[in-house]
Structures are given as structure tokens and as C-alpha cells.
């Protein structure tokens, strides 16, 4: 869990500057989006019923991870343009393959986290049922599914485009 | 054309009040029937009788009193039977499995937890000792409370014992401990504090220790041990009860197959050895324990995982070890029918037999010579009775005859007499019970039982003669023994048939009835869906069909949410966390809505507000749960919230004091604005003004509650009695006014929506003040949250509607209605309730009244419990429909359409409730042998059933009120 930030930060570097701005600027934006997204996610989690307290230091860690998976890539690519954000996260009408790459894993992560919360109240008393753990697993699983789906979509799209061209 | 005309006619009819009312009434009866039938099969109830047995009652029995009458003078303690032992030491080891006690050779293979209580084996195998191991068979529910009740009353306690106790668990029935206390036996108790709850004032001395902390294996046991040994040397008691909890707790936490459990058993082995040593050392003639009986027993068994509560063999089979410290001159009368003997690991011969726990109370009463508890239906167990009573001074029985009857015969004579008294008492109880209880026994069973009794009685007449004859002339005694045996058989026959009857009545689920109830409920679901679809069709002919039936994402989510919630009832942990689950779903709905709003780029504020109020509701739910945690088994640390409250400084208290006032003022302001806003007509206006007035009264009473004023008697009086009463009266008046206005309402053709809004507001305000004062200071806060949430739901619904212009299918309403019901569930938990009987706020029933009257207090309690979650949402539901206006349809049609939709919305709300009820029932049926049936599922079932019926009832009421 702790290795993933580094991994994914690197991962997001690879596809940041499709647009106009420079490489360094995009990295900076990504780093900035990390805590900002974490705050938003933490807020959302609290609304959904996460316990709030000083002893839950793991909560910020988890929301950092989630924001990493959802917000950072988007921030890297789009920067502060509201309309693009709006297009990606709300309307889900994809135009380019980058859109797929960002929006599907992000949605996957959120939905995975949502489903990850379900086994929490069960009384199996296993250690992974503690508050942030299974949600985190759900997040990662959802993200991976989203990744697969997005690559599948991109492949499908390219295939179609090839067909059209032919 | 004719077809459309027909449709027109139909829909006109359907909009009519009477028709709607009949539909809802039909659904109400259907639900009522389903629940009634299911309950008859599932919730076994027993009526507690308040009669007590008295010593003098024996005169009415046909049994032998002569031998006792002779001795009455010099043996003043002789009551129903001759006492056989003077003192009893009862050591209860909670959840003592049978295989903890019995030698491992009785079982197929040896497990590590077997053969740990070696001392019992040793005692039971000693030739000539009066010790024996019994397999005691308990009756479900095998929870400690019910078992203790069963052991002491000699009956079969069910989940709900209908009785006079209103919340308190104390036993009001006649019971063993009461009889002991009444007949001069001094009872000492130590250990599990459940005993003290059950018998608050019967013990001479008690040393209770808290029992609910399951993780604590030693506190209760150490406390017991500390107090037990000093008492063994004292003589100021007759009955000593020591209840150890270690095995039960070790089972719950670690399971049976664990080193902790074995450690506990080894500890008990040492303990019992010491106890026996102490007792034996003083059991000589004239010693303290010359005539003492030691009983080591479990109240129920446990499964390998340490669970108990159901009726599985492992849970039901517990053990009883009995040992009489008397030095008997003669050997036991052998009764080998249920005896089984085997060699144990060390080649000692150990005999065991079995006993019903039902028989415990009767046997102990007979041994102590006290009257049997009135509700006891057990029979005096011959082996246990023989163990202790085998060798009393037989001269008492046959003082001057001087004839040498064999020991066996004399024992039999006495036992027959005991059984006779036993039988007579059981018959008396059954007669009284079937005469006085709500649901008695069937006539067929009763006549069967009476026949058996009459048979036994006939034989008794012969036996009595034979015994008397035998006393006077020795020749006839040869026929006595077969006669006695026959008599015992007849009595046993009667008693066992009584026990079987009682079991079928009180401990066995009636699966047929349960299935029938379930079927009826499912049928009602179909009726619901069918009606909704039909109304759908009717609606659609009013409006231009948009053709494509796009099921919106929102609607899908609504269905999913309802289904998820319903299916979550299949697991006990989700029922435990039901409030949180509901708020989770509500928050998810809110977030989706917010996302939707972002997409549409409007009404962002409402969406945000909606989402932000949810955590407030959750805060309320967690507060409620932390209250629950204090007095329930499911102790969990809600550390974060409770700590912050405990550390609360003055500021916190101050804020907590001032917040309700602010909320109240705000509510009143909203009401005021709503009057100003709509051009309100007479009566409705007065109603709303009345509510504002009452809310100021509430504020006043709370202000008086604070420490601001020095409370004089008059003010306290006003505060505690008059203000609540005035509020109740005003509430009733408001309802009456509304009814009157409904009866002589003028016909108005335009503005149906406004009219309904006004009506709904008036209705809500009429109810709200009563509910708020009942639910205390959290009331206005919750009410405010509810108002905000409701408003947001309505606003957001219109947002959704704005785009795809009112294609009128049921799906468009399903999402707001689902949210509405989720909100209602949240409100239920938010007001500090939960689905358990200790979750009822009994204090609310006494707001404004001190003295108890069943009807009034029950009404207040119902309003408090279901007010926020059932009454208000149902009454407010028309607001959803009224908020959506369709200007494009002409007025006359609009009216029709409006009422059709209103009807539809109510149907949908009912459907949602019914679905969750159905799943609850299914789950209760599946889990009927589950550990938590009586702790969790059954209360949930009761709450849901009452909630559903109330909802149906109020829907009927609302249909009368809103429809024209």
C-alpha cells in the first residue's frame, strides 16, 4: 500500500503533457492535486459514514491513495480547466483515448471503494475488516478493473477507427 | 372511443376517495392478516399468571395429607411435601456442556476438553456414595435469562412472556426463589447479576457481579470464589446459589476447543474439589452439612464455537451433578430404566441418567418441602428425588404401624404422594391458564389431558385405599407395590403429555403458519405492484406518451437501494448496523444527486445541503448506538464520539443547551413563513398558529428545566404536568379541527396543489409539536434536519423533472419515494431508537403523567417511537407530488391526474415498506435456529411488523384526509 504512491506518481508522469503546458508544471499540479483531492475524498468518506477521530490517522493515508488514483491523473492532464473536469467526471462522454484512461479507472476506484465498504459491519472478526483496509482493497480492485476496461475500450475504439479507415 | 370512455370512467372512479380508501384498507387487512398468521407460527407467546402457590392449597388436593396432618404440630415446616434435605448448594456453571462433565467414554472420541472435571467422576463412581451425573436437557431458547426463568418457574419461558412487567426483566410469576423466601428459606446468591435483575428482592444476601462484559473471563468467577468459601462455614442460609460465568465467556470469545477453556475447566475442577472437601468435612451427624444437597449444573450447553440460544443438541444438552451429603443407611431404590453405565478412563463404573430441566423446579421444591411454583409443569424426577430423599427417617411416614415394609415400598409410597401433589398442581395450572390466557390450549388437547388426569385419579383412589389398608392390616401389602407402580406410571403419563403439549405450544415454531403468513405477504406485494402498474396505464392516457420508456439511472438506483437494504436483513450484523446502512445509502443517493446537479449545472446548493445534512443524521445515529452499547451485549467502542462528549467542557454543554432552542425558533419561523406565503384559509391558519404557540410552550418548559430559575414547586408542577398536557390537548384539537374542515370542506376546482400543500403543512404541524415534546431535546434538531432533507429531496426531484418533461410512469417517482423512506429509517435511528425492546424510550411514555395507565402510556410510547419515522413521513408524502406542477394539462384533468399520482406515491411507499418487511420475515424464517434469534431477529421482526401496520394505517388515514 505504501509503495503504490511512488509507483503511480511515476505512472502519471508518463502521460501528463499531451496538452499545452510544460512537464514540470504538470508535475507540480499533480502534487498539488494530491492533498486537495484527498480533502474532497475524506469529506465524501465522512459523509458516507467513516469514523472521525484523532486516532484514525489512516484515513488521510487512504484518501491520499484514492485521490492519487482518481484526481491526480486528471489534474496532470487537464489542469484547472473546469469544463474539462466537468466533462470527465460528470458527463462521461469520452472523446479521446486519454479520457478513457482517466475517467474509467477513476470511476472504477470510487465504485470499488463503495462496494468495499459492505463487508465492514459483518461479524467475522477477521483483521482485514477494520475500517480502512477493505475499502482500500476495494479501491485498488475497482481501479484495476477500470484500467482493464479502459484499455479494452481504447483497443476497441482504435479497432473501429481502423475499420473505418479501411 | 368507447374504450377511452371506459378508461375515463375508470380513472374518475379511481380518483375518488372511497375507492382509494378501500384499496389501502384492503392492503392494510392483507398485511395485518399476514403478520398475524406469521406471528402465530413464529412468536410463541405465553401469558404469565399472577397466582401463587400457598401452603394451605394442599387441602384442596385429593392427595395424602393424613401422614402430614399428624405431624403438622411438631414439624411446622412440613408444607406440601416432607422436606428431604435441609440445605442446598447450587453451583451453576454457565454453558456447561454435557461432555465437560460426562466421562469421555460416553462419546465416540476423546476431545481435549473432556475429562477435565475429574472430581465429579470420582464422586460419581464411588460405590455407596450418593452422587450421580445427569444429562440435563434444556428447552430452547437457550439463553441464560430464559433458562434461569425456566429453571426457577418450572415452566417454558418464551420470547415474549405477556405479563405485567413493563420493561423490567424481573419475574412476576410464581417461582422457586419466591417460594423459598416465603417459606422461610434464607437464600444467598453470588455471581451473575442476571439473578438480581430477575429477583430484585428475594435474596437475603447477594453478591452480584456484572455479566455483560464477555471478554472478562475471571471477575465473576473470582468474586464467586471469594464469597463462596466463607459461606460454606456459616449457618445463616438454607440455599446458596453461585453462578459462574467463566466457561460461557471463554466459549464466546475463544470457542470450546481452546487452551483458555481448558484452563477454566481445570480451575473449576480444583474449586469443586475444595467445595466437596469442605462440605464433607462437616457432614457428620450434627454437622453443618449433615443433610445438604450439592448440585453442580449448567443452565444450557454451547456449540463448539461457544454459541448458544437455539435448539441444537449441543446447546440443549447440559449436565447436572447431584450429590447428597447424607450418610444413608440403605441403598438407593434402583430405577434402571434411563440409566446407562460405562467404565471411564480409569476403569471406574459411572452411571448417568438424564433429566429434563423442566423438572428441576418441581424436584427442588419437593426436596425442600416448599410448594411447587404455580406455573410449574415439570414432574418430580424420581432419580434426583431418590438421591436425596432415599433415606429419610422412614418412621415419620409410618409412625406406629411397626410393619416392616421394604424400603422400596415405603419410598414408593412417598414418591407417589409427591407425584400426586405434583399432578394436581400441574392440572390446576393448566386449567387456570387455558381459562385466563389470551391464546389458550385447544379444546381437543384439553379434553385429552383431562381424560388422562381422570384416569390417574381413578387409580389414585384405589391406591389410596390400598395404602390405608396396608397400614392397618399387613396382609394386603403384597398388592401394594404393583399398585404403586401403576400409579406412578399413570401420573408420569399425564405429566409427560402435559409437557409435550406445552412444548408444542411454547417452544416449537409452526412452520405451516409461518409459510402461510409469508405467502400472504408476497401476495400483497403482487397486489401492490399490480395496482401501481394499472395506475401507470391510467396516468399515461392523460399525457402525451413520450414513447420511449427510458428507465433512468436514478430509478435504477432507487430500486437497487431498496433491494440492497432489504437483502441486508439476511445478516445479523447488518441488522445491528441498520441505521448506518440506511445513512450510507442515503448519502450515496445524495452524492449521485449532487453529481446529477453538477451535470445539469443548477441546484448545486440543494444538493450540497442534502449531502451535508446526512452526516448530522449519522451523528445522531451513532449517539443512539453509543447509548445502546452501554446496556447491551454488543459492546463496542464508539470511542471517537463518546470521548469527545465525555470530555465536553462547559462550552459543549452550553451549546447543547442552546441548540434545541435555536432549532425550535427556526422551525417556528419556517411555519410562520409558510403561513405568510400561501394565502391560507381560516382553519388551517389557526392550526399552524397553534403549533407555533405550542413550540413556544415547549421552549418555555425547557427553559424552566435549566438551572436559570430557582425551581419552586408550582413551576415544577407546571413544567412537568401542565405544559405537556396542554400540548397534547392542542394537538388533539388541531386534528379535530382538520377533521371538521375536511367534513365541511368547500369544493374548489382550482389550485389542487396549493390546497394539498396547505393541508399537508397543517397536518404535519399538528403532529409535530406532540412528537417533539415526547422526543425531548433532540426533537427539534431532528425535526429541522428532516425538514431540510425533505425540502432538498423535493427540490432535487423537480430538477430532475425539469429536463425530460414529465413522462408519467411510476419510475419518475420511485427515486424520491425511495429516498423519502431511507430518510424515514434514518430518522428512526437518529432519534435514539433501535430495534430492541430496551431501545424503547420508556421515559417518553411518562411525559406529563406520573401514574400508569396502559392505553395512554402505550399511545404516547408509540407516538414517540414511530412519530418521526412513520407518522410524519407518511403525512408529508403528498408534498412530493404537489411540488411537481404540470401547467400544460387542463385543470379538470389535472385534478384527476394529481390524485392518481398521489395514490401511486402512497402505494409505492407502502410497497417499499412491505418489501423490507417480507425480507425480514424470510430472514427470520431462515435464521430461526440462529444464535441471535431472540436477541436480534425477533425484536427486529416485531418492530418492522408494528411499523408496517402503522404505516398502512396512516396511509389509510391520509387517503381519507387528502383525497376528495
Amino acid at each position: 500500500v505504501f509503495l503504490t504512491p511512488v509507483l503511480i506518481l511515476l505512472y502519471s508522469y508518463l502521460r501528463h503533457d499531451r496538452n499545452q503546458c510544460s512537464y514540470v508544471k504538470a508535475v507540480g499540479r499533480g502534487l498539488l492535486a494530491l492533498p486537495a483531492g484527498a480533502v474532497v475524498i475524506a469529506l465524501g468518506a465522512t459523509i458516507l459514514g467513516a469514523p472521525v477521530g484523532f486516532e484514525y490517522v489512516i484515513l488521510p493515508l487512504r484518501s491520499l491513495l484514492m485521490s492519487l488514483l482518481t484526481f491526480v491523473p486528471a489534474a496532470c492532464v487537464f489542469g484547472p480547466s473546469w469544463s474539462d473536469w466537468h466533462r470527465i467526471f460528470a458527463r462521461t462522454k469520452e472523446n479521446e483515448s486519454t479520457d478513457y484512461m482517466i475517467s474509467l479507472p477513476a470511476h472504477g476506484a470510487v465504485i470499488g471503494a463503495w462496494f468495499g465498504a459492505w463487508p465492514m459491519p459483518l461479524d467475522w472478526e477477521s483483521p482485514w475488516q477494520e475500517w480502512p483496509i477493505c475499502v482500500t482493497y476495494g479501491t485498488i480492485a475497482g481501479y484495476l478493473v477500470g484500467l482493464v476496461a479502459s484499455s479494452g475500450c481504447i483497443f476497441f475504439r482504435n479497432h473501429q477507427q481502423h475499420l473505418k479507415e479501411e | 372511443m368507447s374504450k377511452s370512455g371506459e378508461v375515463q370512467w375508470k380513472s374518475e372512479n379511481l380518483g375518488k376517495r372511497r375507492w382509494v380508501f378501500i384499496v389501502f384498507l384492503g392492503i392494510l387487512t392483507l398485511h395485518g392478516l399476514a403478520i398475524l398468521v406469521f406471528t402465530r407460527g413464529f412468536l410463541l407467546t405465553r401469558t404469565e399468571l399472577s397466582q401463587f402457590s400457598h401452603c394451605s392449597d394442599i387441602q384442596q388436593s385429593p392427595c395424602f395429607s393424613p401422614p402430614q396432618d399428624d405431624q403438622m404440630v411438631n414439624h411446622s415446616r412440613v408444607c406440601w411435601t416432607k422436606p428431604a434435605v435441609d440445605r442446598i448448594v447450587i453451583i451453576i456453571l454457565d454453558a456447561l456442556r454435557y461432555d465437560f462433565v460426562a466421562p469421555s467414554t460416553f462419546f465416540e472420541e476423546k476431545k481435549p476438553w473432556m475429562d477435565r472435571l475429574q472430581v465429579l467422576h470420582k464422586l460419581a463412581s464411588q460405590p455407596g456414595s450418593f452422587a450421580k451425573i445427569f444429562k440435563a436437557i434444556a428447552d430452547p431458547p437457550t439463553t441464560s435469562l430464559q433458562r434461569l426463568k425456566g429453571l426457577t418457574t418450572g415452566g417454558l419461558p418464551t420470547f415474549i412472556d405477556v405479563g405485567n412487567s413493563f420493561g423490567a426483566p424481573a419475574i412476576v410469576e410464581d417461582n422457586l426463589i419466591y417460594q423459598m423466601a416465603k417459606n422461610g428459606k434464607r437464600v444467598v446468591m453470588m455471581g451473575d447479576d442476571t439473578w438480581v435483575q430477575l429477583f430484585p428482592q428475594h435474596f437475603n444476601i447477594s453478591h452480584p457481579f456484572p455479566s455483560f462484559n464477555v471478554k472478562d473471563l475471571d471477575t465473576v468467577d473470582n468474586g464467586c470464589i471469594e464469597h463462596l468459601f466463607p459461606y460454606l462455614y456459616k449457618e445463616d442460609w438454607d440455599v446458596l446459589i453461585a453462578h459462574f460465568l467463566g466457561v460461557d465467556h471463554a466459549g464466546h470469545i475463544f470457542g470450546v476447543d481452546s487452551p483458555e477453556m481448558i484452563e477454566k475447566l481445570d480451575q473449576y475442577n480444583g474449586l469443586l474439589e475444595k467445595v466437596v472437601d469442605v462440605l464433607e468435612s462437616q457432614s457428620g451427624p450434627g454437622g453443618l452439612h449433615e443433610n445438604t444437597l450439592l448440585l453442580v449444573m449448567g443452565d444450557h450447553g454451547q456449540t463448539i464455537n461457544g454459541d448458544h440460544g437455539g435448539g441444537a443438541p449441543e446447546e440443549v444438552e447440559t449436565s447436572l451433578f447431584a450429590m447428597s451429603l447424607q450418610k444413608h443407611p440403605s441403598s438407593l431404590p434402583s430405577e434402571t430404566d434411563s440409566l446407562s453405565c460405562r467404565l471411564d478412563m480409569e476403569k471406574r463404573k459411572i452411571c448417568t441418567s438424564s433429566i429434563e430441566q423442566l423438572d428441576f423446579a418441581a424436584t427442588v421444591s419437593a426436596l425442600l418441602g416448599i410448594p411447587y411454583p404455580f406455573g410449574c409443569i415439570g414432574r418430580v424426577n424420581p432419580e434426583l428425588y431418590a438421591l436425596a430423599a432415599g433415606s429419610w427417617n422412614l418412621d415419620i411416614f409410618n409412625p406406629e404401624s411397626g410393619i416392616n415394609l421394604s424400603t422400596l415400598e415405603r419410598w414408593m409410597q412417598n414418591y407417589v404422594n409427591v407425584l400426586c401433589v405434583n399432578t394436581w398442581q400441574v392440572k390446576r395450572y393448566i386449567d387456570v391458564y387455558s381459562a385466563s390466557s389470551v391464546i389458550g390450549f385447544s379444546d381437543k388437547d384439553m379434553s385429552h389431558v383431562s381424560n388422562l388426569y381422570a384416569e390417574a385419579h381413578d387409580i389414585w383412589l384405589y391406591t389410596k385405599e390400598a395404602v390405608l389398608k396396608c397400614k392397618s392390616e399387613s396382609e394386603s401389602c403384597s398388592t401394594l407395590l404393583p399398585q404403586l407402580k401403576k400409579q406412578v406410571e399413570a401420573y408420569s403419563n399425564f405429566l409427560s403429555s402435559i409437557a409435550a403439549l406445552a412444548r408444542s405450544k411454547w417452544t416449537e415454531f409452526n412452520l405451516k403458519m409461518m409459510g402461510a403468513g409469508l405467502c400472504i405477504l408476497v401476495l400483497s406485494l403482487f397486489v401492490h405492484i399490480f395496482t401501481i402498474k394499472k395506475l401507470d396505464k391510467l396516468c399515461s392516457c392523460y399525457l402525451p406518451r413520450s414513447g420511449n420508456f427510458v428507465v433512468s439511472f436514478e430509478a435504477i438506483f432507487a430500486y437497487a437501494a431498496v433491494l440492497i437494504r432489504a437483502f441486508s436483513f439476511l445478516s445479523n450484523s447488518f441488522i445491528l448496523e441498520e441505521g448506518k446502512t440506511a445513512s450510507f445509502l442515503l448519502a450515496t443517493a445524495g452524492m449521485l444527486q449532487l453529481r446529477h446537479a453538477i451535470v445539469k449545472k443548477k441546484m448545486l446548493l440543494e444538493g450540497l445541503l442534502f449531502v451535508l445534512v446526512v452526516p448530522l443524521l449519522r451523528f445522531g445515529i451513532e449517539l443512539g448506538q453509543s447509548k445502546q452499547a452501554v446496556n447491551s451485549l454488543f459492546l463496542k467502542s464508539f470511542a471517537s464520539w463518546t470521548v469527545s462528549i465525555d470530555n465536553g467542557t462547559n462550552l459543549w454543554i452550553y451549546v447543547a443547551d442552546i441548540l434545541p432552542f435555536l432549532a425550535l425558533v427556526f422551525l417556528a419561523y419556517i411555519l410562520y413563513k409558510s403561513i405568510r406565503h400561501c394565502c391560507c384559509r381560516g382553519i388551517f391558519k389557526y392550526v399552524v398558529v397553534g403549533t407555533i404557540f405550542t413550540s413556544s410552550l415547549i421552549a418555555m418548559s425547557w427553559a424552566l428545566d435549566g438551572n436559570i430559575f430557582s425551581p419552586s414547586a408550582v413551576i415544577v408542577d407546571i413544567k412537568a404536568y401542565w405544559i405537556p398536557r396542554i400540548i397534547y390537548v392542542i394537538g388533539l384539537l388541531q386534528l379535530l379541527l382538520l377533521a371538521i374542515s375536511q367534513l365541511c370542506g368547500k369544493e374548489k376546482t382550482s389550485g389542487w396543489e396549493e390546497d394539498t400543500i396547505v393541508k399537508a403543512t397543517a397536518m404535519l404541524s399538528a403532529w409535530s409539536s406532540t412528537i417533539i415534546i415526547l422526543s425531548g431535546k433532540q426533537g427539534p434538531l431532528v425535526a429541522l434536519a428532516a425538514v431540510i432533507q425533505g425540502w432538498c429531496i423535493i427540490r432535487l426531484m423537480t430538477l430532475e423533472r425539469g429536463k425530460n418533461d414529465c413522462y408519467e410512469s411510476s419510475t419518475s417517482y420511485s427515486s424520491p419515494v425511495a429516498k423519502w423512506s431511507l430518510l424515514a429509517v434514518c430518522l428512526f435511528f437518529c432519534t435514539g431508537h433501535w430495534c430492541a425492546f430496551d431501545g424503547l424510550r420508556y421515559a417518553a411514555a411518562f411525559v406529563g403523567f406520573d401514574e400508569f395507565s396502559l392505553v395512554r402510556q402505550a399511545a404516547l410510547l408509540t407516538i414517540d417511537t414511530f412519530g418521526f419515522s412513520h407518522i410524519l413521513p407518511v403525512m408529508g408524502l403528498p408534498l412530493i407530488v404537489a411540488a411537481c406542477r404540470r401547467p400544460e394539462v387542463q385543470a379538470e384533468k389535472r385534478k384527476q391526474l394529481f390524485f392518481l399520482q398521489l395514490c401511486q406515491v402512497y402505494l409505492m411507499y407502502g410497497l417499499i415498506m412491505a418489501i423490507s418487511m417480507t425480507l425480514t420475515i424470510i430472514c427470520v424464517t431462515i435464521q430461526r435456529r440462529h444464535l441471535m434469534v431472540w436477541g436480534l431477529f425477533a425484536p427486529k421482526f416485531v418492530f418492522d411488523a408494528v411499523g408496517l401496520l402503522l404505516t398502512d394505517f396512516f396511509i389509510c388515514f391520509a387517503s381519507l384526509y387528502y383525497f376528495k
Side-chain angles (χ1 to χ4, degrees), chain B residues 346-366:
Chain B
E346 289 163 29
K347 305 287 179 228
R348 292 177 301 205
K349 193 179 177 213
I350 292 183
C351 294
T352 63
S353 57
S354 76
I355 179 174
E356 304 275 343
Q357 260 193 3
L358 194 62
D359 303 341
F360 179 80
T363 311
V364 170
S365 313

Side-chain angles (χ1 to χ4, degrees), chain B residues 878-954:
Chain B
L879 292 176
I880 285 188
V881 185
C884 176
R885 297 160 197 222
R886 277 161 298 278
E888 74 270 22
V889 197
Q890 70 264 38
E892 188 49 34
K893 272 193 174 177
R894 206 167 80 198
K895 175 189 158 193
Q896 298 279 344
L897 189 62
F898 175 75
F899 285 119
L900 280 182
Q901 280 173 345
L902 191 57
C903 180
Q904 210 176 23
V905 164
Y906 269 124
L907 276 173
M908 264 189 304
Y909 192 78
L911 178 67
I912 290 173
M913 294 292 292
I915 285 178
S916 59
M917 180 70 210
T918 314
L919 263 291
T920 309
I921 281 188
I922 289 175
C923 138
V924 159
T925 315
I926 293 173
Q927 315 265 37
R928 66 184 182 278
R929 295 286 174 212
H930 190 274
L931 161 69
M932 304 299 285
V933 171
W934 305 114
L936 203 63
F937 291 112
K940 167 80 186 143
F941 165 73
V942 172
F943 271 78
D944 264 15
V946 174
L948 179 68
L949 288 182
L950 259 183
T951 309
D952 281 342
F953 174 72
F954 277 99

Side-chain angles (χ1 to χ4, degrees), chain A residues 43-53 55-56 82 86 89-92 107 114 117-119 121-123, chain B residues 557 564 568 571-574 577 581 584-585 587-588 591 595 598-599 601 611-612 614-615 618 622 639-641:
Chain A
L43 210 68
T46 321
I47 287 169
L48 281 177
V52 182
E55 62 268 39
Y56 293 97
W82 171 249
H86 193 255
F89 285 114
R91 204 160 287 172
T92 56
H107 278 105
W114 192 82
W118 278 104
L122 291 174
D123 58 354
Chain B
F557 177 76
I564 288 175
S568 71
S571 159
N572 58 335
S573 12
F574 278 116
E577 305 270 330
T581 315
F584 182 71
L585 283 172
T588 314
M591 284 188 161
R595 181 173 171 279
I598 291 173
V599 172
K601 291 187 183 170
V611 168
L612 288 182
V614 174
R618 195 172 64 88
E622 293 207 357
S640 54
W641 291 116

